[in-house]
Amino acid sequence: SRPRRLFARVSTRFPRETMQTRVSVPRVPAVTSRVGAQHERILRRQAARTVKSASSSPAAFSITTRRGPVVCRASSSSPGPIRSLFNLEDIAKPFISAKDTLNEGIASFYDESSGLWEDVWGEHMHHGYYPGGQPRDDHVQAQVDMIERSLEWAGLEASASGVDRILDVGCGIGGSSRHMARRWPGCVTRGITLSPVQARRANELAREQGLENRSTFQVADALNQPFDDSSFDLVWSMESGEHMPDKGKFVNELARVCAPGGRILIVTWCHRILREGEKTLPEDELQLLDRICEGYYLPRWCSVAEYARLCADEGLVDVRTADWSEQVSPFWRAVIRTALTWRGFVGLLRAGPATVRGGLVMPLMHQGLKRGTIRFNLITATKPR
């Protein structure tokens, strides 16, 4: 049968809603583990017993109950069923080895899948920018445009001075770092990732592109960074915040390594801001996020309003947010289309079962953006001098 039969059919219409605000927000409740605080404490104790390294985030994935494996995911503080009896992506699950910690799961997923992504999409492992939500065929350029538009939105024009030291948090195979090294001649970029495969490939590409003296990459935990305080003029995180189990610690580390007067820029997936009277997302939205969490090794989600509050709590100033959900809306449809080609389908199978599961979850990302549950947000802030 053709590969496309493995994928759920998805609508091609997207919401057209763009938001940019200067933020002064109340505290917004986080969307926490569906299995409740007690389950989360059990998982943390379990991870602490098995992993002593400081780089291992304590968020184990599953424990066995009478109802089968229960996974610590994104959403709801109230107990309840986590999933339906069977979802399409479950066909890959028996072939995926269990991981003790969230960090191990993330590293393993990107060790397995990054080669396929580079082969099909190139060195940039993030959404592209599609003006007005209109499709375009030059997807690699769309990804470069996402970097450029994000920097410009944050007030970092190519002519900006004082950008000499850049940190790329969750660097993938280093596409953003090397782009910024070329954008600001003379600057030095450092990148960190949990994936040894990604770090090795990022350094290889830096050597191939003649940037090995200015762009270097290493394995490190974003929540326990191996850098001194105030080390960087720009701290950049392009679609890595969604993997962070402790969003407060994440923002704290970004602020710690940022130099006074420097800028922080976070581009990340969020869930929508809760409406008045809502204490959590509705059950159908929670279930959607839960399935995405398991497919992509994500912990809890938060809203852009929570990120803005966390930045303010760190004493950061000039905090601004934007919603570019419309501008990325064609992206997942394009990724799904490449997965449905023979080359993409065979590539998924060769990469491994976790990558296959990630491929089967892609239509859910498309669906989440379409219905507005998932938002593509930017957050920027300055560290006071």
Side-chain angles (χ1 to χ4, degrees):
S1 61
R2 299 181 64 185
R4 97 177 37 247
R5 293 178 184 173
L6 290 176
F7 291 84
R9 295 190 61 177
V10 291
S11 171
T12 58
R13 297 184 62 191
F14 292 86
R16 293 184 172 273
E17 178 182 358
T18 302
M19 174 186 72
Q20 179 169 323
T21 57
R22 187 170 297 274
V23 178
S24 176
V25 298
R27 292 180 178 268
V28 177
V31 176
T32 56
S33 170
R34 293 178 62 78
V35 294
Q38 182 178 5
H39 179 202
E40 186 169 355
R41 286 195 296 271
I42 293 171
L43 296 175
R44 288 182 180 275
R45 287 197 297 270
Q46 182 186 53
R49 286 195 301 269
T50 56
V51 181
K52 296 182 180 179
S53 169
S55 66
S56 297
S57 296
F61 290 105
S62 64
I63 58 176
T64 301
T65 71
R66 288 179 300 173
R67 301 172 64 181
V70 177
V71 181
C72 183
R73 301 189 183 85
S75 3
S76 176
S77 58
S78 60
I82 288 181
R83 58 192 300 126
S84 61
L85 292 177
F86 180 79
N87 295 308
L88 182 60
E89 63 273 14
D90 290 340
I91 63 175
K93 189 171 184 178
F95 307 99
I96 300 173
S97 59
K99 301 297 183 293
D100 291 324
T101 68
L102 177 61
N103 278 9
E104 289 179 12
I106 294 168
S108 176
F109 176 73
Y110 287 110
D111 282 350
E112 179 181 294
S113 63
S114 294
L116 173 61
W117 183 273
E118 182 186 2
D119 182 54
V120 176
W121 280 76
E123 64 181 338
H124 298 291
M125 304 182 71
H126 54 77
H127 283 74
Y129 185 88
Y130 301 81
Q134 295 301 308
R136 54 190 291 188
D137 295 327
D138 53 340
H139 300 296
V140 173
Q141 185 58 48
Q143 292 174 303
V144 173
D145 290 349
M146 174 59 72
I147 299 171
E148 282 294 317
R149 293 296 187 100
S150 298
L151 291 168
E152 291 169 4
W153 173 81
L156 295 164
E157 304 290 341
S159 59
S161 60
V163 185
D164 301 318
R165 302 163 298 167
I166 299 173
L167 175 63
D168 187 351
V169 180
C171 62
I173 57 173
S176 294
S177 291
R178 291 186 298 275
H179 179 84
M180 289 186 283
R182 290 187 290 266
R183 191 180 198 261
W184 285 295
C187 80
V188 174
T189 68
R190 302 287 298 274
I192 59 173
T193 172
L194 291 172
S195 165
V197 170
Q198 286 188 337
R200 182 169 61 252
R201 182 58 179 154
N203 284 313
E204 289 174 355
L205 289 169
R207 286 192 295 272
E208 291 173 9
Q209 297 172 19
L211 294 169
E212 66 272 22
N213 295 324
R214 295 177 49 215
S215 294
T216 58
F217 306 90
Q218 67 190 87
V219 174
D221 186 352
L223 303 188
N224 186 26
Q225 297 180 25
F227 306 115
D228 294 335
D229 295 356
S230 304
S231 293
F232 300 97
D233 307 307
L234 170 60
V235 180
W236 162 276
S237 170
M238 172 61 76
E239 298 186 42
S240 64
E242 49 268 27
H243 284 297
M244 306 300 167
D246 186 336
K247 301 297 192 286
K249 177 62 174 172
F250 174 51
V251 174
N252 174 263
E253 276 291 272
L254 301 185
R256 181 185 68 79
V257 301
C258 186
R263 183 160 290 276
I264 295 168
L265 177 55
I266 304 168
V267 184
T268 189
W269 315 348
C270 294
H271 69 66
R272 64 172 175 80
I273 296 175
L274 297 180
R275 303 184 184 101
E276 184 176 358
E278 284 186 325
K279 294 183 179 180
T280 188
L281 296 172
E283 183 65 22
D284 60 336
E285 293 184 79
L286 297 180
Q287 290 180 0
L288 176 69
L289 295 183
D290 285 346
R291 292 172 63 187
I292 294 169
C293 282
E294 186 168 11
Y296 294 138
Y297 293 92
L298 306 181
R300 71 177 185 88
W301 294 59
C302 72
S303 71
V304 69
E306 184 179 354
Y307 267 117
R309 176 182 64 78
L310 291 171
C311 289
D313 288 349
E314 287 296 327
L316 302 174
V317 298
D318 188 26
V319 179
R320 293 184 292 121
T321 70
D323 187 323
W324 285 6
S325 301
E326 179 186 43
Q327 284 80 358
V328 302
S329 57
F331 177 76
W332 285 99
R333 185 172 53 203
V335 177
I336 292 167
R337 237 185 334 255
T338 63
L340 294 176
T341 64
W342 183 251
R343 177 188 177 193
F345 179 68
V346 172
L348 284 170
L349 294 178
R350 287 178 174 172
T355 308
V356 171
R357 182 173 65 179
L360 294 171
V361 168
M362 290 190 300
L364 302 180
M365 285 295 301
H366 180 105
Q367 180 185 349
L369 281 163
K370 176 180 180 292
R371 68 189 294 183
T373 300
I374 297 172
R375 311 304 298 174
F376 189 88
N377 291 119
L378 294 79
I379 307 97
T380 188
T382 301
K383 187 172 180 177
R385 295 185 183 275

